[in-house]
Amino acid sequence: MSRPSIAEVSALIADLAALRRNPHRTSAEYAALMSHKADLLERIAARTPGDVDAAEVARLARERADSLTSAN
């Protein structure tokens, strides 16, 4: 897995903010963004193998993203 960049994290935060401000967002758009967030968190956790908290946050994010994707 590639190392996440600050630019990627910044872009995700901007995308999250934009989606929150969009009253017409679809559940598919939200699910896609949550999947992207989970991917990024998994990459962060992979770069810090001893960090149990990072691994747990990534696992929970993936679970949530997968549940949103299967609901659509």
Side-chain angles (χ1 to χ4, degrees):
M1 288 188 170
S2 64
R3 181 181 183 152
S5 69
I6 295 299
E8 287 177 288
V9 174
S10 294
L12 176 65
I13 292 169
D15 290 346
L16 287 167
L19 194 69
R20 279 196 196 110
R21 289 188 305 265
N22 179 1
H24 306 292
R25 71 177 179 244
T26 66
S27 58
E29 290 172 318
Y30 182 71
L33 188 55
M34 291 302 102
S35 182
H36 179 67
K37 175 183 167 186
D39 291 343
L40 188 59
L41 289 170
E42 287 170 337
R43 288 171 47 211
I44 290 169
R47 299 293 291 188
T48 56
D51 190 336
V52 176
D53 291 333
E56 180 66 4
V57 168
R59 185 188 68 75
L60 291 171
R62 175 53 58 205
E63 265 183 27
R64 177 71 174 140
D66 289 349
S67 73
L68 291 169
T69 301
S70 66
N72 284 322

